[in-house]
Amino acid sequence: MISGVATGTGLIHMEEEANIDFFIHELYPIDFFGHTVYITTTHVCTLIVFVTIILLAIAARKSVLKKTDNPSLFATGTELVINTLLNFVDSSMGKSGKKYINYVGTLFIFVFLSNISGLFGLRPPTADYGTTLCIALITFVMIQYAAVRYQKWGAVKGLFEPIFLFFPINVISEIATPVSLSLRLYGNILAGTVMMALYYGLIPIFFKFGIPSALHVYFDLFSGAIQAYVFCMLTMVFVADKRNVDTA
Amino acid sequence: MKIEIEGLIGACSAIGAGLAVIAGIGPGIGQGIAAGYGASAVGRNPGAKGDIMSTMLLGQAVAETTGLYGLVVALLLMFLKPFGK
């Protein structure tokens, strides 16, 4: 008989028995103008990441400002990270990129720490489409601002090139930028989260020692670092593309 | 044999999820081509390994997007069940 096993409730029961857990949990309901919204695991994990970044920043500032002949390992590491980020922005945005180091560097640190937070037992905030869409929308606003600021009417004229019939296609291609940016980050991190949840949920307990560390290195560290790099790189590429004014 | 409508929707969602992740073929081919050309470029000019590596990874990540669309659709069908309410 098909009925019973394959119904929706049957599938949910199977999930609960297998203990697969990668869903966003609703922790605390809030009444918001008649709608019930929830404080979810994403909010809590985002808050933890924020607090971690703030504590790291305070510690880095303290250790860098300390006047001493042999700086500590932490201060040297901080300088290394900041120099790497500066070179990263300089090499892909040219000499005009100094303005963008604040945004791109913050974005990189936040996205990277969010992605690797799966290592520490959190649910990565970037595995929620709300987070990635918000970051991508900020990037979208930056791109459009750069276009209007540096191309003036060329930004509007660019939508009607090569002829005015292409206007809808150009608008769609502009809107597709944040969608593809956010879906790329979200999909990659969610895929890693789902794979780890499936591994922990479905495999017998004998295989849960040692082997998951290799999977964590790939799905959390490698994939997370690559995706943070790609997100910031594409942000800079798009903005730099709009900044290039045709002087001819 | 009687088939309930929820069961039919669940089965069709599972089939649809399986079909959706076929989208992974394209990015696989694309990433393989990028990695192959990256390897040959490093072979010709080992000094530029860092630049080649970052360019290759960027291209691969962009190529991966279409596959991830399929993955997202598959996950929606499997776990959120948009047609099964």
Side-chain angles (χ1 to χ4, degrees):
Chain A
M1 290 294 286
I2 292 178
S3 61
V5 177
T7 54
T9 53
L11 274 175
I12 289 171
H13 282 308
M14 271 170 57
E15 282 156 16
E16 279 172 359
E17 279 163 25
N19 199 18
I20 302 169
D21 184 24
F22 57 88
F23 298 97
I24 303 168
H25 296 292
E26 294 162 344
L27 301 176
Y28 182 72
I30 294 175
D31 193 48
F32 183 74
F33 295 120
H35 300 276
T36 309
V37 291
Y38 289 93
I39 297 284
T40 60
T41 39
T42 306
H43 295 114
V44 178
C45 295
T46 313
L47 200 65
I48 294 173
V49 171
F50 281 165
V51 169
T52 313
I53 293 175
I54 290 171
L55 289 181
L56 276 178
I58 292 172
R61 182 182 157 79
K62 259 191 164 175
S63 72
V64 167
L65 285 183
K66 197 182 287 176
K67 287 196 171 60
T68 167
D69 282 340
N70 45 349
S72 65
L73 193 66
F74 189 66
T76 327
T78 308
E79 266 182 42
L80 187 69
V81 168
I82 298 300
N83 269 330
T84 313
L85 282 174
L86 273 172
N87 284 334
F88 177 45
V89 177
D90 268 1
S91 66
S92 41
M93 294 195 76
K95 61 183 187 306
S96 62
K98 280 279 184 286
K99 284 189 209 166
Y100 290 92
I101 176 66
N102 291 328
Y103 176 65
V104 176
T106 313
L107 189 66
F108 183 84
I109 292 171
F110 171 64
V111 173
F112 179 67
L113 279 185
S114 297
N115 290 350
I116 68 166
S117 67
L119 270 181
F120 305 103
L122 303 177
R123 191 182 186 282
T126 36
D128 185 345
Y129 193 54
T131 312
T132 58
L133 184 65
C134 286
I135 307 175
L137 282 180
I138 299 173
T139 295
F140 176 70
V141 170
M142 266 179 59
I143 293 169
Q144 296 306 321
Y145 175 76
V148 173
R149 172 93 166 68
Y150 290 96
Q151 299 182 3
K152 302 287 190 302
W153 285 104
V156 183
K157 215 180 76 185
L159 289 175
F160 292 95
E161 282 174 353
I163 53 170
F164 69 94
L165 281 179
F166 279 67
F167 176 69
I169 300 174
N170 285 328
V171 168
I172 289 173
S173 83
E174 289 292 326
I175 293 173
T177 304
V179 172
S180 78
L181 259 182
S182 57
L183 269 181
R184 180 178 304 120
L185 182 58
Y186 166 72
N188 267 294
I189 306 306
L190 184 70
T193 313
V194 170
M195 287 299 289
M196 292 316 296
L198 288 180
Y199 189 85
Y200 280 125
L202 294 180
I203 304 292
I205 191 136
F206 175 71
F207 294 102
K208 286 185 188 172
F209 300 101
I211 302 173
S213 61
L215 292 173
H216 271 298
V217 166
Y218 179 76
F219 285 120
D220 287 334
L221 277 179
F222 180 70
S223 188
I226 293 283
Q227 288 312 315
Y229 170 75
V230 165
F231 196 94
C232 297
M233 191 74 189
L234 285 177
T235 297
M236 288 188 296
V237 166
F238 286 133
V239 174
D241 185 43
K242 293 290 183 191
R243 281 175 69 99
N244 283 339
V245 187
D246 273 334
T247 49
Chain B
M1 191 169 73
K2 187 168 165 294
I3 300 178
E4 290 176 12
I5 191 69
E6 290 93 10
L8 185 65
I9 289 173
C12 291
S13 296
I15 293 173
L19 289 176
V21 288
I22 293 178
I25 292 176
I29 295 172
Q31 290 184 335
I33 290 173
Y37 278 112
S40 79
V42 173
R44 248 183 279 126
N45 185 3
K49 193 176 176 213
D51 286 348
I52 292 167
M53 191 75 118
S54 61
T55 312
M56 185 190 82
L57 285 175
L58 187 67
Q60 285 184 333
V62 173
E64 205 176 7
T65 313
T66 50
L68 287 168
Y69 292 158
L71 177 80
V72 168
V73 169
L75 288 173
L76 284 178
L77 284 174
M78 287 282 285
F79 296 110
L80 291 186
K81 300 192 181 64
F83 305 115
K85 294 290 153 61

